[in-house]
Amino acid sequence: MGITGNLTPQQLDFFNSQGYIVIESFASPEEINGMRDRMNELLDGFDCSVTSIFSTKNQKESTDDHFFESADKVSFFFEEKAFDDEGKLKQSKQLSINKVGHALHEHEPVFKNFCSSGKLLSMLVSLGYKSPAIIQSMYIFKQPGIGGEVVPHQDNSFLYTNPTSCTGLWLALEDATVVNGCLWAIPGSHKNGLVRRFIRDENGVHFDRPSPDYDQKDFVSVEVKAGSLVVIHGDLIHQRHALSLHVVDTKDHVWAPDNWLRRRVDPEPLYISS
């Protein structure tokens, strides 16, 4: 039996006009606590001798094999300002991690269960997906004091298919406000199309053109309660990130060979449409 979409016409109209939509109480308190508890366990067991720094501004300079090989693994990435001049952590590793990615949805059961849930599939069907696959998953932290800037970006820049099909799913694992780092977006900006791509070629990883200048007054805050899911169009200009999933369509869409993310094995579709 096929899965039917669960978004209302009003929700779809808002998504199509604004480029995002908030679905409140999408994850239960039990699901949220399970993901947070498991992440605490992963951090406790993480060996800090393997270090990699994540930067949305200077990823070309800070990218290494650890970053490339994380496509289908569970890898840890530190904040830019986590280390002192001697290469030692300034504070505990729990307060120094930027994110964990990029395949939690494949290797960690508590995340896998959420990512393969019927409610997630039904929502993707509403958006027109025929054979959706989660191409990456990230647990993103907002660290006090050392958190690096998350610059305005579009998800299709990093995860490109032809035609474009990336949708970002941003699950708040705690209340997200303007004080502690909620999502900010330019409503309707997805209608202007993709402005640049982040590619990987013989010159390494780099953007194919400079970033446009954005007026901060055009951004609106998207404050949400824990458990809310923000669905983000792949061309929407936004910044700041929680549990973040990126979904692409594997039916009639071609994965760009010059994407930075290159898996050894193709992702399994969440379901195959009849």
Side-chain angles (χ1 to χ4, degrees):
M1 179 179 296
I3 297 177
T4 58
N6 60 8
L7 295 181
T8 67
Q10 292 76 19
Q11 288 175 312
L12 289 172
D13 285 345
F14 187 92
F15 178 80
N16 291 330
S17 65
Q18 302 300 302
Y20 72 93
I21 189 172
V22 176
I23 306 175
E24 297 180 348
S25 303
F26 191 86
S28 68
E30 291 75 20
E31 288 174 312
I32 295 171
N33 291 336
M35 285 185 265
R36 293 184 59 139
D37 289 346
R38 180 52 184 156
M39 183 51 60
N40 286 334
E41 294 173 354
L42 291 173
L43 284 176
D44 287 342
F46 169 54
D47 180 3
C48 289
S49 64
V50 180
T51 63
S52 181
I53 297 171
F54 180 77
S55 169
T56 59
K57 299 181 70 174
N58 301 302
Q59 193 57 56
K60 181 179 179 181
E61 288 75 19
S62 60
T63 292
D64 54 16
D65 288 342
H66 182 69
F67 179 68
F68 287 140
E69 293 173 358
S70 69
D72 48 15
K73 297 180 179 179
V74 176
S75 302
F76 297 77
F77 299 88
F78 287 98
E79 291 282 3
E80 294 178 76
K81 301 177 182 179
F83 299 90
D84 61 23
D85 293 338
E86 297 180 353
K88 297 180 180 179
L89 285 176
K90 297 178 182 178
Q91 50 192 3
S92 70
K93 60 184 178 182
Q94 286 83 358
L95 294 177
S96 303
I97 290 291
N98 171 279
K99 70 173 184 176
V100 178
H102 290 95
L104 287 164
H105 63 288
E106 292 184 339
H107 298 291
E108 288 295 327
V110 66
F111 295 96
K112 187 174 183 177
N113 289 341
F114 174 79
C115 294
S116 60
S117 63
K119 59 186 176 184
L120 194 69
L121 299 183
S122 183
M123 185 273 298
L124 293 171
V125 168
S126 294
L127 297 180
Y129 279 90
K130 303 302 181 184
S131 184
I134 296 175
I135 199 65
Q136 72 172 20
S137 53
M138 300 177 287
Y139 192 111
I140 301 180
F141 299 82
K142 174 61 177 174
Q143 301 293 6
I146 65 169
E149 178 186 2
V150 176
V151 298
H153 65 280
Q154 298 168 295
D155 292 332
N156 274 327
S157 294
F158 298 89
L159 304 166
Y160 185 78
T161 62
N162 186 16
T164 56
S165 66
C166 184
T167 296
L169 307 177
W170 194 92
L171 178 68
L173 298 176
E174 61 183 354
D175 293 351
T177 68
V178 294
V179 175
N180 69 0
C182 66
L183 183 80
W184 292 77
I186 302 179
S189 57
H190 64 297
K191 297 178 181 179
N192 298 323
L194 185 62
V195 298
R196 64 175 181 164
R197 287 193 54 214
F198 185 72
I199 60 177
R200 176 180 172 186
D201 56 22
E202 62 274 8
N203 297 316
V205 289
H206 57 94
F207 286 102
D208 60 357
R209 66 194 69 182
S211 173
D213 291 326
Y214 299 106
D215 192 330
Q216 288 300 310
K217 69 178 178 57
D218 293 333
F219 285 85
V220 300
S221 60
V222 185
E223 296 186 291
V224 296
K225 294 291 187 180
S228 297
L229 183 74
V230 186
V231 184
I232 306 167
H233 190 285
D235 284 343
L236 183 75
I237 304 296
H238 63 284
Q239 55 188 355
R240 194 60 263 169
H241 280 273
L243 177 66
S244 179
L245 310 175
H246 292 104
V247 181
V248 298
D249 208 330
T250 60
K251 184 176 178 62
D252 301 325
H253 293 73
V254 180
W255 181 252
D258 56 356
N259 279 327
W260 79 265
L261 190 149
R262 301 178 187 176
R263 299 172 51 92
R264 287 179 287 266
V265 179
D266 290 339
E268 289 289 333
L270 297 179
Y271 75 100
I272 302 294
S273 62
S274 56

